[in-house]
Amino acid sequence: MQYRTLGRTGIKVTPFALGAMMLGQMGNPDRQEAIRIIHRALDGGINFVDTADRYGDSEQVVGEALRGRRDDVVLATKFWGPVDDDVNHRGASRRWIVQAVERSLRNLQTDYIDLYQLHRPDPETDIDETLSALTDLVRQGKVRAIGSSSMRGSEIVEAQWMSERRGFERFRTEQPNYSILDREIEREILPVAQRYGMGTLVYSPLAGGTLTGRYRAGQENDVFRSTRTGMNHFRDERRLAVVEQLIALAAEAGLSLAHLAMAFAIAHPGVTSAIAGPRTMEQLDDTLAGVDVSLSDDILDRIDAIVAPGESVGAMDMVYRGPEVGAPALRRRPVAQRSAA
């Protein structure tokens, strides 16, 4: 496995990272098998593991799996989402951050986190409040580097500016959604991250499983993820039609669709690592079987012809789009102000 530098942190990570969201209650509840999957990933050369405090018991599974191997792993986790019913046990306030990090440290059975990430922007908290608290964690030695996830380009710039102005630690990484089907970050997010020397670890390089070849146009897709609530994108005929074209291209190149998709994600110069999120050992083994795949310019050109650079085909339902898109009141004037007269 090759290594890439995580932004300008000096930390070396593998181009494939192990995402642990599905290892535990949210995916594979067999804890011993989940631990074996993590061990197999590490034995296969992966040194980068990503999880989050809101992924059920995933942090606990990871912590148990890393006993005796902690210092060999670049460990990343995230905060922001609700972990229980307490309204203050979520978000990006100093009050929650100082509690959340201690909770994650206990779960992960470690005294430091290599990369601590803001899982989503928090419009209810000033970014300087968040950066100030995260800076203290770095200075206390509990966190080595900090990162963001699902930020817009303007939010990345604002955070970088605030860090420079106030002397805070700055976000060293960004974690956006990226796949052959979801290429919008090529327009702004990746160039901005590169400009600020940020590492980028992209999630859902297989488009949530759509790019495994198991979801086909005109067929019943009665598999684990397609039957879950909020997964309508698995039945998006526009996306599935593109998947059919990509399956044909992959076959012509002598590759599986999943290997084509993972190799595509790490081919962009702005991408440091692509997060693979297996639920089973079989899925992990298939991912590891594709570590040697390198796409030629011809194959990348043909992918560009199917899904243009900077464009997306539909979107995954769970992707964060910000309150301006999700809240009607923020994108609709009062009725009395909607006419020109």
Side-chain angles (χ1 to χ4, degrees), residues 93-112:
S93 69
R94 172 179 286 273
R95 185 182 192 276
W96 174 233
I97 288 171
V98 297
Q99 295 180 66
V101 73
E102 297 296 342
R103 183 177 184 274
S104 289
L105 289 169
R106 287 193 300 272
N107 288 340
L108 293 166
Q109 301 183 38
T110 184
D111 56 6
Y112 70 99

Side-chain angles (χ1 to χ4, degrees), residues 5-316:
T5 305
L6 188 61
R8 294 177 184 162
T9 64
I11 300 171
K12 306 296 183 181
V13 296
T14 45
F16 284 6
L18 177 68
M21 183 177 76
M22 303 302 290
L23 302 179
Q25 297 165 345
M26 294 184 67
N28 188 340
D30 185 336
R31 179 168 291 198
Q32 292 309 309
E33 182 182 10
I35 290 171
R36 287 193 295 270
I37 290 172
I38 295 172
H39 289 169
R40 173 74 181 94
L42 301 183
D43 293 341
I46 291 175
N47 81 333
F48 198 5
V49 178
D50 178 77
T51 184
D53 60 5
R54 67 175 306 194
Y55 294 164
D57 62 346
S58 173
E59 284 189 332
Q60 297 171 24
V61 172
V62 171
E64 189 171 344
L66 295 187
R67 288 178 185 169
R69 306 183 70 166
R70 171 66 187 92
D71 290 341
D72 299 327
V73 175
V74 178
L75 180 58
T77 191
K78 301 181 285 291
F79 69 94
W80 168 83
V83 296
D84 55 33
D85 294 332
D86 191 313
V87 296
N88 283 313
H89 289 176
R90 64 195 68 186
S93 69
R94 172 179 286 273
R95 185 182 192 276
W96 174 233
I97 288 171
V98 297
Q99 295 180 66
V101 73
E102 297 296 342
R103 183 177 184 274
S104 289
L105 289 169
R106 287 193 300 272
N107 288 340
L108 293 166
Q109 301 183 38
T110 184
D111 56 6
Y112 70 99
I113 295 166
D114 293 295
L115 178 62
Y116 199 41
Q117 303 158 98
L118 171 61
H119 206 160
R120 295 286 185 269
D122 182 1
E124 296 183 347
T125 306
D126 286 340
I127 189 63
D128 59 340
E129 170 89 359
T130 302
L131 288 167
S132 174
L134 292 173
T135 297
D136 287 346
L137 297 185
V138 173
R139 292 173 179 171
Q140 292 165 9
K142 296 177 180 179
V143 170
R144 300 295 188 253
I146 61 174
S148 57
S149 176
S150 297
M151 277 194 166
R152 293 169 295 188
S154 61
E155 292 170 326
I156 294 174
V157 172
E158 179 186 7
Q160 294 288 327
W161 176 84
M162 183 62 70
S163 292
E164 181 178 353
R165 183 184 185 194
R166 298 289 182 86
F168 295 149
E169 289 290 322
R170 62 187 184 90
F171 287 134
R172 297 290 188 167
T173 63
E174 165 62 15
Q175 185 175 147
N177 171 48
Y178 185 54
S179 74
I180 296 176
L181 299 178
D182 307 283
R183 301 185 61 174
E184 292 180 44
I185 68 168
E186 293 174 344
R187 293 184 184 182
E188 183 175 283
I189 303 301
L190 288 176
V192 168
Q194 287 175 281
R195 186 180 311 156
Y196 285 102
M198 299 172 70
T200 305
L201 49 157
V202 299
Y203 73 87
S204 289
L206 300 183
T210 309
L211 293 174
T212 60
R214 299 175 65 195
Y215 304 87
R216 304 294 297 270
Q219 298 181 13
E220 288 294 325
N221 293 311
D222 187 21
V223 294
F224 177 78
R225 288 187 172 181
S226 67
T227 58
R228 302 185 76 189
T229 302
M231 297 290 184
N232 296 321
H233 56 269
F234 289 112
R235 294 176 287 278
D236 186 331
E237 291 300 325
R238 297 168 299 169
R239 287 169 76 89
L240 293 177
V242 170
V243 168
E244 294 299 319
Q245 297 180 64
L246 294 170
I247 288 174
L249 175 59
E252 186 177 335
L255 302 172
S256 71
L257 179 58
H259 291 173
L260 178 83
M262 289 295 293
F264 168 84
I266 64 171
H268 194 289
V271 172
T272 308
S273 296
I275 301 172
R279 184 172 59 89
T280 66
M281 187 70 77
E282 180 184 11
Q283 292 171 353
L284 173 64
D285 285 341
D286 182 66
T287 296
L288 292 175
V291 297
D292 293 325
V293 174
S294 176
L295 301 183
S296 67
D297 286 342
D298 175 64
I299 294 297
L300 291 172
D301 288 342
R302 294 177 67 181
I303 291 174
D304 289 347
I306 296 172
V307 181
E311 301 296 330
S312 296
V313 181
M316 294 199 304

